[in-house]
Structures are given as structure tokens and as C-alpha cells.
């Protein structure tokens, strides 16, 4: 092997994406925005601590911030796949700047009752929810494919650095100059991110077709995830890890106060240990992946987190707990950054934001459900037992990664291709007309029939991921050498999108394997509703 080839085979270093100027500028600007977000959260909580029912109100700040992610992630993914992502991000950041300015002005003039503060916090969460899928879908456009895992890890580093820096800076500023300037600085931070987005001029801007209808796009995203075994396995793997791992975030305050006798400063030290481990994990991810396969990597990370849970839950020695939290933070970031990068690599551009939005729902929902679960378990059986149960679940989930391993996606061609022949129709249907029944007839010799059936099973997945609601393969009883494929698409517009770039290189290979087993070119027909002007809505009403 030549030296050049050897260098090409090496994975990207943790810092490699930052050598790309556009990504570096956006990453630094997003870091500033993340710090501003944490400052805003601390400022909002501080405004509420002197009110009656302060404990409930302070907790509602987190709820108001995170609830929009669960409610709006999927619609946000639809918007990010339907419109220019850069323009969408700029518009949303300007909205966030406006919310932060309103927060600062109303706080400065002492016109900020709790209900209004929580409403504006929710509005800020809406902006964050709209940002997440679009930003995640943009990253593959900013860095080379071999640097995606490093870029995902750098995203995690940014979040953890902001979590460490933001609250500390906010605490100092609030004690010196009050809450209103903290909100104003948050507006400045998002202005910086907006400016970086405005300066970014994509050289290969994604071509945006006529946007899909919102509900149709939402269903298309759900259909893709439902009929993609690789995406479903990645989502399950994230959930199996997040639910037991969330115990450490949910119960660590109780460990600090009840078992270790620490003050709020001590609790901050425990969080800092998790953050340091997380940052180290982001930096070490590239090196770890050179030595371990994806599934070996999951095994090691799962065992580390299992041990950390057992130590944190049973040991009362502060230095030992701090040491245990370091590998926990490392495992947390490396597992989730790896799964996130695999999702970004696998999802085709037309549905990438929607697929990543589903991942965010699983991630946020898993954390929320896990936190509630472990809180209830700790209430009934105690902290030690809750941590031991979480450790046992983590270990079981880690073992399942070897029984149901992650798919190897390195050789999968996810580039969009347009290879179906141009349509020649006697009449052009209205795009809203539907459903549309596509009929494809193949001539297949009997000795190749079994191999053809196996090949068409793979084709079925491509049809269903890209638009088919129903799919079937039939044989006419009158002959032995014919197969008829039929699939139902919601509308003519949806079928045109199959022709226009929803299919990938991997889908093309699957279809070509099936067609190689057939004699000649298949005969394709498109059946639309017989009544002129029938639309999908009309057809549903008649069923």
C-alpha cells in the first residue's frame, strides 16, 4: 500500500472538520448561541426563585424549553426538507433574537410575571425545535463524508462546553448586573449565529423542488422510517442506551445531596466531571473508531456506563464518584455521536431532516421517560436500588448489541439518482390526483423465479420507503412465466417525486438485480382514478 493510500484510509481526527472555514465559523457561532441558551435558562430560573411555588415554576422552565422539541421535531423536519435550509435557519434565528430582546426589555422594566416568562421560554423552545433538524441536516453539506463522525462529536463537545460555561457566566453576571443583561447577551449570541449563516454561501446549494404538501410530507417521512430496517435499528439502539443512561442525569442531584452530602457547588463539580468526560469522548471518538468496530465500540461503551452506574449508586467516596463520572460522560457522547453520525450518513437528502427529527424525538422522549421512570423507581425502592436496576438494564442492552448488531452502512450508496425512464402519457394527471396504482409486469423464466422473488423483496423496501402505501407481487394463474408487481402511491405528485430523485444508488442496484433476472424490459402502467378531477381527499371520502 502506498503512503498516500495509507493516509487516505486513516479516519478524520477529532478536529478535522474545523479545518473547513465555513464549518468552523458556524460551529463557533453555534457554540456562542448554545452558551447564550444556557445563560437564558439560568436567568429565567433565577427570576422565579422568589415566587410562591418556586420549585414548580423553576422546573417548568425546563419543561417549557424541552416540550417544543417533542411536539414540533417532526413538523420542523418537514419544513427543513421542504424549504431551503439556510434560509429557514436564518429566519428562525431572527425569531429567537426577537424573543430574547423582548425578554430583556420586559425584565429591565419589571414587567415579567411568571406566566409571561414561561410563555416566552416556550416560544424560545419553539425556535430551538425548528433549528435542530435543519442544522443536523445541513452538516453533511459542510464537511466531507469521512469527517461526519468527528463533526457529530464536535457538536456534542459544543453542547457540553456550553453546559459548563453558560450557567457559570450567567451566575456571575446575575450577581453583578442582574438578569436583563443576561437575556440581552443571549440575543447578541444568536445574532452572531445569524451573521455566520448569512455569510455562508453554499457552493452546491440543494435544489429545492416545489414543496410537498405538509401532511403528505409528514406521512412520507414516517413511511420512510417505518420501512427502513437500518434506521429502525439505529433508533432502537439509541433508545436502549438512553433510557438506562438517563438515570445518571435524573438522580445525580439526589446522589450529591443525600448520599455524598454535597452542596450546590459540589453538585456542580459532579456535573463538571460528566462534562469533562463528554468532551474527552468527543476528542477520542475518531481514535476509538480506528481500533474498534461499531459493535465492539458499543460493547465497550455499554460496559463502561454499567460500571459507572454501579459506582455512582453504591459508593459514598466523592473522588471515586468523580472518577466514575468521567467514563460515563465519555460513553454518553461517543455512543450518541456515533449513532447520530450513522443517521446522517444513511438518510438521503430528501428525507434527512425528517429522519433526524424522528431521532431527536426518540432521544428527547427517551430522556424524559427515563427521568420519570428512575424518579419513580428511586421513590419506591431507594437510590441504590434504582442505580443497580439501571446498571442491569444497561448491561442487558449492551449484550443485545452483539445479538442484534448495528448494520454495516459503509458500502451503502445513498446518493440520489434519477434512472427511471421518462413518462409518456396520453394525459397528464393533476398532481393532487390519487391514489395512483402502478402496475409493473415482468417476464421471468421458471428456473429464475425463486431468485427473482428474493430480489423483489429488496425492491419492495425501496418502493415503500419512497412513497408506496401498499405493495404486492402476484402471478397470473393463466401463465407460469409472468409476475405482476403492484404498488399504491398516495398521489400523482408523490409518484413524480419517486421519478425525480427520491431513489438512491442502493435502490437502483436492487432494481437492476431484479431486472437482470427478467426477460426484456418490464411493462409499466399507471392507473389513476377514473373520474376526472378526483383527488386523494375525494377518494378517501368514497372509501
Amino acid at each position: 500500500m502506498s503512503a498516500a493510500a495509507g493516509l487516505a484510509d486513516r479516519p478524520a481526527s477529532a478536529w478535522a472538520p474545523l479545518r473547513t472555514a465555513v464549518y468552523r465559523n458556524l460551529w463557533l457561532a453555534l457554540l456562542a448561541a448554545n452558551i447564550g441558551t444556557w445563560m437564558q435558562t439560568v436567568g429565567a430560573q433565577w427570576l422565579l426563585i422568589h415566587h410562591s411555588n418556586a420549585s414548580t415554576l423553576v422546573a417548568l422552565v425546563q419543561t417549557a424549553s424541552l416540550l417544543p422539541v417533542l411536539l414540533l421535531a417532526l413538523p420542523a423536519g418537514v419544513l427543513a426538507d421542504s424549504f431551503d435550509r439556510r434560509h429557514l435557519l436564518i429566519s428562525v434565528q431572527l425569531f429567537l433574537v426577537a424573543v430574547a430582546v423582548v425578554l430583556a426589555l420586559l425584565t429591565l422594566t419589571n414587567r415579567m410575571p411568571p406566566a409571561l416568562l414561561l410563555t416566552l421560554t416556550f416560544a424560545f423552545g419553539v425556535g430551538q425545535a425548528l433549528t435542530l433538524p435543519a442544522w443536523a441536516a445541513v452538516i453533511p453539506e459542510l464537511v466531507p463524508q469521512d469527517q461526519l463522525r468527528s463533526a457529530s462529536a464536535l457538536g456534542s463537545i459544543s453542547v457540553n462546553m456550553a453546559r459548563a460555561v453558560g450557567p457559570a457566566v450567567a451566575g456571575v453576571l446575575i450577581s453583578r448586573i442582574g438578569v436583563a443583561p443576561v437575556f440581552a447577551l443571549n440575543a447578541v449570541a444568536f445574532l452572531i449565529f445569524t451573521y455566520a449563516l448569512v455569510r455562508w454561501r453554499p457552493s452546491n446549494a440543494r435544489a429545492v423542488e416545489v414543496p410537498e404538501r405538509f401532511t403528505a410530507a409528514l406521512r412520507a417521512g414516517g413511511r420512510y422510517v417505518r420501512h427502513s430496517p437500518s434506521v429502525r435499528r439505529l433508533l432502537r439502539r439509541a433508545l436502549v442506551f438512553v433510557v438506562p443512561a438517563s438515570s445518571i442525569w435524573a438522580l445525580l442531584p439526589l446522589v450529591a445531596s443525600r448520599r455524598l452530602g454535597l452542596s450546590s457547588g459540589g453538585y456542580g463539580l459532579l456535573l463538571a466531571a460528566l462534562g469533562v468526560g463528554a468532551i474527552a469522548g468527543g476528542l477520542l471518538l475518531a481514535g476509538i473508531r480506528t481500533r474498534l468496530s461499531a459493535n465492539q465500540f458499543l460493547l465497550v461503551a455499554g460496559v463502561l456506563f454499567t460500571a459507572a452506574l454501579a459506582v455512582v449508586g453504591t459508593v459514598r467516596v466523592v473522588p471515586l464518584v468523580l472518577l466514575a463520572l468521567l467514563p460515563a460522560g465519555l460513553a454518553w457522547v461517543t455512543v450518541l455521536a456515533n449513532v447520530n453520525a450513522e443517521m446522517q450518513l444513511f438518510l438521503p437528502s430528501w428525507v434527512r431532516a425528517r429522519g433526524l427529527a424522528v431521532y431527536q424525538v426518540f432521544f428527547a422522549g427517551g430522556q424524559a421517560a427515563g427521568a420519570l421512570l428512575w424518579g419513580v423507581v428511586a421513590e419506591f425502592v431507594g437510590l441504590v436500588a434504582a442505580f443497580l436496576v439501571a446498571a442491569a438494564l444497561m448491561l442487558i442492552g449492551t449484550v443485545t448489541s452483539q445479538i442484534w448488531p448495528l448494520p454495516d452502512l459503509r458500502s451503502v450508496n445513498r446518493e440520489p439518482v434519477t434512472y427511471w425512464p421518462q413518462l409518456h402519457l396520453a394525459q397528464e394527471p393533476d398532481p393532487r390526483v390519487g391514489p395512483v396504482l402502478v402496475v409493473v409486469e415482468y417476464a421471468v423464466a421458471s428456473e429464475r423465479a425463486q431468485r427473482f422473488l428474493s430480489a423483489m423483496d429488496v425492491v419492495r423496501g425501496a418502493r415503500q420507503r419512497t412513497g408506496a402505501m401498499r405493495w404486492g407481487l402476484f402471478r397470473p394463474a393463466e401463465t407460469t412465466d409472468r409476475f405482476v408487481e403492484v404498488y399504491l402511491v398516495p398521489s400523482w405528485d408523490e409518484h413524480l417525486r419517486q421519478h425525480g430523485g427520491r431513489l438512491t444508488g442502493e435502490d437502483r442496484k436492487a432494481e437492476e438485480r431484479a431486472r437482470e433476472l427478467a426477460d426484456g424490459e418490464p411493462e409499466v402502467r399507471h392507473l389513476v382514478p377514473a373520474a376526472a378531477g378526483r383527488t386523494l381527499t375525494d377518494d378517501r371520502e368514497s372509501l
Side-chain angles (χ1 to χ4, degrees), residues 259-506:
R259 290 188 55 79
L260 301 178
L262 298 176
S263 64
S264 59
Y267 170 56
L269 189 61
L270 298 182
L271 285 177
L274 271 173
V276 169
I279 293 170
L283 297 177
L284 295 173
L285 178 61
I288 294 171
R289 286 303 306 268
T290 63
R291 295 169 175 80
L292 301 173
S293 69
N295 292 294
Q296 290 172 333
F297 172 81
L298 286 177
L299 178 64
V300 171
V303 169
L304 281 176
F305 214 105
T306 299
L309 287 171
V311 171
V312 171
T314 59
V315 172
R316 289 180 175 270
V317 181
V318 173
L320 291 180
V321 172
L322 288 170
L323 287 174
L325 290 172
L326 293 173
L330 184 148
W332 173 268
V333 162
T334 50
V335 169
L336 295 177
N338 190 60
V339 172
N340 186 58
E342 292 292 337
M343 290 282 289
Q344 289 174 325
L345 285 166
F346 181 79
L347 290 165
S349 178
W350 71 270
V351 76
R352 183 178 294 141
R354 279 168 281 186
L356 290 169
V358 173
Y359 168 74
Q360 285 159 5
V361 169
F362 269 66
F363 175 66
Q367 274 195 289
L372 177 61
L373 169 69
W374 299 118
V376 171
V377 171
E379 186 72 28
F380 281 94
V381 299
L383 271 176
V384 173
F387 271 99
L388 291 177
V389 171
L393 282 180
M394 177 65 75
L395 187 58
I396 293 169
T398 300
V399 172
T400 64
S401 70
Q402 308 307 301
I403 301 172
W404 298 291
L406 288 179
D408 187 354
L409 305 176
R410 288 172 295 181
S411 61
V412 177
N413 182 357
R414 308 307 298 162
E415 290 300 311
V417 294
T418 303
Y419 63 93
W420 283 1
Q422 187 174 357
L423 292 166
H424 298 285
L425 306 170
Q427 58 179 358
E428 183 69 28
D430 187 296
R432 296 172 298 163
V433 164
V436 175
L437 186 68
V438 183
V439 181
V440 189
E441 188 169 340
Y442 305 86
V444 182
S446 56
E447 64 269 18
R448 298 195 296 272
Q450 280 304 120
R451 284 184 291 156
F452 179 77
L453 287 171
S454 299
M456 288 301 293
D457 194 48
V458 182
V459 171
R460 176 187 63 181
R463 303 280 198 248
Q464 292 176 319
R465 284 191 297 273
T466 57
M469 300 186 297
R470 304 278 183 85
W471 184 92
L473 186 63
F474 301 90
R475 300 182 74 162
E478 295 79 8
T479 179
T480 60
D481 65 345
R482 294 280 167 178
F483 286 87
V484 180
E485 177 195 11
V486 295
Y487 58 95
L488 195 68
V489 185
S491 67
W492 184 246
D493 176 69
E494 195 94 4
H495 184 59
L496 290 178
R497 292 178 188 277
Q498 288 181 306
H499 274 269
R502 281 192 176 180
L503 298 166
T504 66
E506 202 66 21

Side-chain angles (χ1 to χ4, degrees), residues 23-318:
Y23 178 80
R24 180 176 64 249
N25 293 339
L26 287 169
W27 185 85
L28 289 171
L30 183 61
L31 174 61
N34 285 336
I35 291 172
T37 300
W38 277 101
M39 291 171 61
Q40 188 263 331
T41 299
V42 171
Q45 290 174 328
W46 189 260
L47 280 180
L48 297 170
I49 61 171
H50 298 300
H51 285 272
S52 58
N53 301 320
S55 58
T56 301
L57 290 172
V58 169
L60 283 174
V61 170
Q62 286 291 342
T63 303
S65 300
L66 297 176
L67 188 60
V69 176
L70 290 175
L71 297 178
L72 299 177
L74 292 178
V78 171
L79 293 175
D81 280 331
S82 301
F83 298 100
D84 183 282
R85 289 167 185 157
R86 174 176 167 270
H87 291 159
L88 177 64
L89 283 168
I90 291 171
S91 301
V92 173
Q93 304 322 300
L94 289 174
F95 167 75
L96 289 169
V97 170
V99 173
V101 168
V102 171
L103 277 165
L105 291 176
L106 292 178
T107 302
L108 187 64
T109 55
N110 295 316
R111 296 178 181 177
M112 187 61 74
L116 181 57
L117 177 61
L118 292 172
T119 300
L120 290 172
T121 301
F122 183 85
F124 201 85
V126 168
Q128 297 281 60
L130 293 173
T131 298
L132 288 172
W135 171 249
V138 155
I139 292 174
E141 302 172 22
L142 299 174
V143 299
Q145 184 172 313
D146 65 337
Q147 295 180 10
L148 262 181
R149 289 187 180 86
S150 295
S152 184
L154 283 170
S156 299
I157 289 172
S158 172
V159 170
N160 283 281
M161 287 176 66
R163 181 184 284 136
V165 173
V169 172
V172 172
L173 291 177
I174 290 169
S175 66
R176 302 264 179 117
I177 55 178
V179 175
V182 168
F183 291 157
L185 283 174
N186 186 35
V188 172
F190 277 89
L191 269 178
I192 292 170
F193 188 36
T194 306
Y195 176 68
L197 288 166
V198 170
R199 286 194 61 195
W200 169 39
R201 292 284 189 269
S203 57
N204 54 343
R206 184 177 63 107
V208 180
E209 304 171 333
V210 176
E212 297 177 68
R213 288 179 300 150
F214 185 82
T215 54
L218 199 59
R219 291 192 191 100
R223 234 182 347 258
Y224 187 92
V225 171
R226 187 165 67 252
H227 294 295
S228 176
S230 296
V231 170
R232 293 201 312 272
R233 184 162 288 191
L234 287 168
L235 292 174
R236 282 197 299 268
R237 183 52 47 200
L239 200 60
V240 164
F241 178 81
V242 164
V243 170
S246 64
S247 61
I248 212 161
W249 299 100
L251 302 179
L252 195 59
L254 298 178
V255 170
S257 61
R258 295 183 185 178
R259 290 188 55 79
L260 301 178
L262 298 176
S263 64
S264 59
Y267 170 56
L269 189 61
L270 298 182
L271 285 177
L274 271 173
V276 169
I279 293 170
L283 297 177
L284 295 173
L285 178 61
I288 294 171
R289 286 303 306 268
T290 63
R291 295 169 175 80
L292 301 173
S293 69
N295 292 294
Q296 290 172 333
F297 172 81
L298 286 177
L299 178 64
V300 171
V303 169
L304 281 176
F305 214 105
T306 299
L309 287 171
V311 171
V312 171
T314 59
V315 172
R316 289 180 175 270
V317 181
V318 173

